[in-house]
Amino acid sequence: MTALLRLAVPNKGRLQDPTAGLLSQAGLIYERTERSLSAPVANVDIELLFVRAEDVCEMVADGVSALGITGLDLLEESGADLQVVAELGFGTCRLTAAVPNASLMQDLGELEGMRVATAHARVTGEFFAKQGIDVTLIPLRGSVEVAPKLDVADAIVDLVSSGSTMMVNGLRPIATLLESQAVLVARRSDTGLTDGQQQVVTMLQAAVAARRKRYVVMNAPQEALRAIEEIIPGIEAPSVVPLAHNGKVAIHSVVDAKDVWQVLPRLKEAGATGILVLPIESLIV
Ligand code: AMP
């Protein structure tokens, strides 16, 4: 009998909803009741384990769970020797060093001998040690941004996405220590991922890849095909289907989501009509 494969996912906080969204887009069917700590997946042979985002790496490192979803920052902070098997594209943020607006400090070297408050003591400590800058770490669990105001610290290191919290607290970023996003982690293994792990990785990667693409369908006169193909080459080549009337063709292709709104006017100009832009659920290339 083989052990049940578990996937540890955040049970609350910022990563909870986007993780649930990804699992559902990947087609995993499960029911989570309010306080459940785990849930079987109906259509794939795995069990979800709902834990705090900061405990995910521990669960995977201990072998309780074969896979886990958490923030890259939390992986680095845990110190666990795990591998990132997929970047999931949400929960993006930066671990940033910041000083009060009034401070004249411009670069990191000027933090020598200063007090740096952070909830990310390991990553921050390792970062400054590597830079050869001697700082005194003030480990805090939360409300790090107020530390300079309270004269508990001269600078802080904290996670930032839009930067508005730092701004509101009168802080100015001076360096980025780490670019983070949600990641799928597994233990390192000389034999690679098991078939069960690989199946889950493929499902999640297919959903992540699909989010970056759009399916574009349009009609066009046969003569416009070459010009349109130059605008949207597709993953390999566009599909071209003759329409029943008018000597026109239907063209189907896949376009980078970030480029869609630049591409559409060019397609129209090249002769395309009835252009549809559709989301893709899974994409395996
Ligand atoms: P939680 O504390 O459970 O809400 O989750 C925090 C995790 O969400 C962090 O460790 C990051 O991986 C991620 N995250 C994304 N954006 C931010 C942000 N602006 N501030 C804090 N955490 C963020």
Side-chain angles (χ1 to χ4, degrees), residues 12-15 53-54 71-74 91-93 159-161 180:
K12 52 174 136 173
R14 285 175 191 260
L15 299 178
E54 49 268 67
L72 178 63
D73 57 299
L74 295 170
T92 50
C93 55
L159 289 173
V160 177
S161 31
S180 182

Side-chain angles (χ1 to χ4, degrees), residues 5-21:
L5 191 144
R6 295 197 183 98
L7 168 62
V9 297
N11 65 352
K12 52 174 136 173
R14 285 175 191 260
L15 299 178
Q16 181 192 353
D17 286 347
T19 300

